[in-house]
Amino acid sequence: CLYFALKVLQEGGRANYFWAALFAALATATKITAALLVIPLLVSHFLYVSRNEVRTLKAFFPRRLWEAIGIFGALYVVTTPGIVLHFGGFATFMLGKFGIGDHRYVSQDAEALTQDTMLASTNLFEFYLNAVRDSMLSPLFLLCLLGIVYAFWRRQASDLVLLSFVLVF
């Protein structure tokens, strides 16, 4: 997805939007946090449009972008039909994970009820930051942070596209 998002940045092209959306949907079906891959795709789209096309509202929301959004949504629903069947519980759970809304998760599954207390108390932002830091150890984590600072300093469009995913994720 990130590869094709960078291709969107460089070339535009309907095929690049298609492949980026397809891989983002498959990644999201594998792990829901991959839904954040739509952010680099949007960033690359808006950077491409602002550099290469007439700046009108229609140029910022062309058909190829709507098609990519549709492909992402349709493929995600096809590969993960439970999202439609149990959307209420899923939405409540996800909003609670990010500290928004009700922090309780009502489960239909008796085994999952024992895990709900632990899950409801976990802030995903803090959890992933600690997991990344702990798995990399301090020197590598520091090197990665320096890479992020360097990418901000360079501020090339491709760096911004990749950073848009790293910082949000």
Side-chain angles (χ1 to χ4, degrees):
C1 176
L2 292 172
Y3 171 78
F4 285 105
L6 291 173
K7 300 253 316 165
V8 165
L9 175 68
Q10 295 169 349
E11 308 167 0
R14 177 174 270 141
N16 293 325
Y17 283 86
F18 169 82
W19 289 110
L22 178 120
F23 287 118
L26 292 174
T28 303
T30 304
K31 181 124 174 97
I32 191 66
T33 54
L36 296 172
L37 284 167
V38 298
I39 293 171
L41 178 58
L42 291 172
V43 169
S44 62
H45 166 74
F46 289 122
L47 289 172
Y48 175 80
V49 168
S50 66
R51 281 193 327 222
N52 299 308
E53 297 182 14
V54 178
R55 294 180 190 181
T56 65
L57 189 58
K58 186 175 180 179
F60 279 97
F61 297 100
R63 182 177 176 175
R64 64 186 180 267
L65 180 62
W66 291 113
E67 289 171 350
I69 292 168
I71 289 166
F72 174 84
L75 186 58
Y76 181 71
V77 168
V78 166
T79 57
T80 320
I83 192 73
V84 175
L85 300 173
H86 305 289
F87 185 75
F90 169 77
T92 301
F93 174 72
M94 289 308 293
L95 290 173
K97 300 308 299 159
F98 290 98
I100 304 167
D102 189 2
H103 295 275
R104 293 173 292 132
Y105 175 64
V106 179
S107 176
Q108 303 292 332
D109 186 343
E111 289 180 25
L113 288 173
T114 60
Q115 299 174 6
D116 286 345
T117 305
M118 188 272 304
L119 290 173
S121 65
T122 304
N123 179 318
L124 286 183
F125 292 118
E126 181 182 344
F127 172 79
Y128 281 117
L129 180 64
N130 289 333
V132 167
R133 186 196 66 224
D134 293 345
S135 66
M136 292 180 150
L137 303 176
S138 296
L140 187 56
F141 185 69
L142 181 61
L143 185 62
C144 290
L145 289 177
L146 289 173
I148 290 171
V149 170
Y150 179 67
F152 268 119
W153 178 68
R154 277 182 14 150
R155 286 188 301 210
Q156 291 186 354
S158 57
D159 294 331
L160 297 177
V161 169
L162 296 174
L163 282 173
S164 70
F165 179 68
V166 170
L167 294 178
V168 173
F169 190 75

